[in-house]
Amino acid sequence: MKNGLLSKLTALAIAGVLAFSAAACGNTGGTTTAAPGTTAAPTTQAGTTAAPTTTEAPPEEAKADVPADRYDATATPRTGKNDTAPLVLQTGTLDGKFSPFFATSAYDVDVTGMTGLGLLFYDKDGAPQAGVDLPSLAYSFDQEVNADNTESKYTFVLKNGITFSDGQPVTVKDVLFSIYVLSDPYYDGSSTYYTMAIEGMGEYRLQTSTEMFEVVKDIVEAGISGEAGADPVYGTPKVATAEQQAAFWGYMDEAGEKFAQEIIDNVNGNYRNEDEVGKIFGEGVTPDQVAADTTL
């Protein structure tokens, strides 16, 4: 991770907002006042003091971090058309994948944007924002950049009282789940989050150790050349061995054939029928005609 992004990410620390209360005891006029949650020590007839008994005060419930003027339909039910008439919006053709991870059209993304919150909100200039009055899961966030501007550390604080549609609270674990989905080696959605230079991302994507990741990176950077039908010429690596280079590049042909076959199987399984062939090549064209014509 040298240079490439304006600010390289080295760690992602996400903290939930917790509410704490503190109580102190004071001494005025010679009278001792017990701290909240404790019982003052009684004095026995013999002049000795019995051990105080302590009771834990119930934890205070954190208030939801929502705008002060937000309409609360649970407190003030909607009336008239606001209660009975649905909101109707017009849009383009929907694919029906209303997922922030796997939406396949811009129109589906629009729907997810109107029905869910992201970790941050982006203003009209594309700058990330967070706060009580903004549509974001984060209450605040902070960026620490090191002296040579090659690494950054981000800290996010989540809002209290944000829930899913079923009433379950949104927690740090939910944010981490989203990050793991977008970083998963088998993730095939449209997000490119996994391409960011985050510390440990390469190892997680390859499911391997840091040492082996450096070997693979070294092999790729060293490169390969040669003519078709001739033995390949490997570049000069810094840490990888000749055997590791041969094993890595030798697998490329096998992996390429497997990948090409997966594409063929997908096309045959999903598009080799009269309806799909007719849509692509014109009405009346059959799958057998396409298979027999090398120009199609």
Side-chain angles (χ1 to χ4, degrees):
M1 295 185 289
K2 299 255 173 104
N3 289 314
L5 294 176
L6 179 61
S7 296
K8 297 292 179 115
L9 307 181
T10 184
L12 191 62
I14 304 179
V17 178
L18 301 176
F20 292 95
S21 61
C25 59
N27 191 343
T28 58
T31 302
T32 301
T33 303
T38 64
T39 302
T43 302
T44 65
Q45 291 181 349
T48 59
T49 301
T53 58
T54 301
T55 59
E56 292 185 1
E60 293 185 12
E61 183 177 351
K63 295 182 179 180
D65 294 316
V66 297
D69 59 349
R70 189 184 75 163
Y71 182 82
D72 187 354
T74 61
T76 308
R78 294 182 175 88
T79 59
K81 289 186 177 181
N82 286 334
D83 181 46
T84 59
L87 175 64
V88 179
L89 302 175
Q90 181 177 348
T91 185
T93 302
L94 298 169
D95 290 346
K97 294 183 178 179
F98 307 124
S99 165
F101 307 120
F102 300 105
T104 53
S105 75
Y107 305 115
D108 287 11
V109 172
D110 289 340
V111 173
T112 62
M114 290 185 288
T115 55
L117 293 177
L119 182 61
L120 296 173
F121 170 76
Y122 295 89
D123 64 17
K124 61 183 180 62
D125 298 318
Q129 306 286 331
V132 172
D133 294 320
L134 295 173
S136 65
L137 294 176
Y139 180 88
S140 64
F141 77 99
D142 180 64
Q143 178 188 12
E144 299 177 23
V145 183
N146 66 350
D148 59 2
N149 292 321
T150 58
E151 295 182 353
S152 297
K153 177 181 178 180
Y154 293 86
T155 303
F156 298 90
V157 179
L158 299 185
K159 294 177 181 177
N160 283 314
I162 305 300
T163 64
F164 292 102
S165 58
D166 61 358
Q168 293 299 311
V170 177
T171 69
V172 170
K173 290 183 178 180
D174 299 305
V175 177
L176 290 175
F177 171 79
S178 298
I179 292 174
Y180 276 117
V181 170
L182 298 177
S183 307
D184 192 271
Y186 291 99
Y187 174 72
D188 59 357
S190 60
S191 172
T192 57
Y193 177 82
Y194 58 84
T195 65
M196 300 180 70
I198 299 176
E199 185 175 298
M201 178 66 79
E203 292 85 340
Y204 181 75
R205 294 276 296 173
L206 292 176
Q207 297 291 289
T208 188
S209 65
T210 301
E211 292 75 15
M212 184 53 65
F213 177 74
E214 291 300 324
V215 169
V216 172
K217 183 179 178 181
D218 183 43
I219 292 173
V220 173
E221 290 179 348
I224 184 174
S225 61
E227 300 294 333
D231 290 337
V233 178
Y234 305 132
T236 303
K238 297 178 180 178
V239 296
T241 65
E243 291 76 13
Q244 288 173 325
Q245 283 183 291
F248 178 87
W249 292 115
Y251 178 69
M252 288 296 104
D253 289 339
E254 178 185 345
E257 292 177 4
K258 181 180 178 181
F259 180 61
Q261 188 61 51
E262 289 177 350
I263 296 175
I264 294 172
D265 293 342
N266 179 64
V267 171
N268 287 334
N270 295 289
Y271 301 101
R272 193 172 182 177
N273 57 71
E274 293 187 2
D275 289 340
E276 293 297 331
V277 169
K279 292 178 183 177
I280 298 172
F281 298 101
E283 187 175 352
V285 179
T286 66
D288 290 338
Q289 289 176 312
V290 175
D293 192 335
T294 57
T295 64
L296 297 178

